[in-house]
Amino acid sequence: MKTLRLILLCLIFTTAQNAAAMGPNTLKGPMSFIEVLNEVLIMRPVGLVATIVGTTLFLATSPFTGIASAAEPHDAFRKAGDALVVGPAAFTFSRPFGVYGYNPKGVYPDRRPD
């Protein structure tokens, strides 16, 4: 049990360090083993859970969104869908490894050598 706590604590600190050091759209050089591990074990599963929870919330609140959509500019469904479903899904499935931010336009920089 103590070993599992230690591993999780190390992964959390590694995630915080990588996110702070790399910034939202900085891709430099090949990814290290820790960065790949961070993506596969933490960032993608968290994004998947956020997508599932967001989709559930979107469906649960859709009657209220429909009421809110009656007034101009009639874009409540689009805004709610972007925030609760599209954003987390794009963060999980279309974001390249090593980028810790979501770009709504889907344009990300190429990884370049140091």
Side-chain angles (χ1 to χ4, degrees):
M1 189 66 168
K2 288 184 180 184
T3 306
L4 180 62
R5 285 184 187 175
L6 180 62
I7 290 171
L8 288 175
L9 189 63
C10 289
L11 286 174
I12 289 170
F13 283 126
T14 303
T15 303
Q17 177 187 3
N18 286 341
M22 292 189 70
N25 287 326
T26 304
L27 299 175
K28 293 182 181 177
M31 291 183 70
S32 69
F33 175 73
I34 297 297
E35 290 173 331
V36 173
L37 196 64
N38 176 35
E39 278 288 335
V40 173
L41 294 179
I42 297 174
M43 300 304 282
R44 301 294 170 153
V46 167
L48 181 63
V49 168
T51 303
I52 292 168
V53 169
T55 302
T56 304
L57 285 173
F58 178 74
L59 293 174
T61 61
S62 63
F64 304 111
T65 307
I67 293 169
S69 209
E72 291 289 335
H74 308 296
D75 62 349
F77 273 108
R78 183 186 55 77
K79 286 183 177 181
D82 285 347
L84 294 173
V85 180
V86 175
F91 180 83
T92 305
F93 299 111
S94 68
R95 171 183 61 88
F97 267 30
V99 177
Y100 296 103
Y102 160 64
N103 186 349
K105 295 181 181 178
V107 179
Y108 296 99
D110 292 330
R111 184 169 290 280
R112 61 185 185 278
D114 285 336

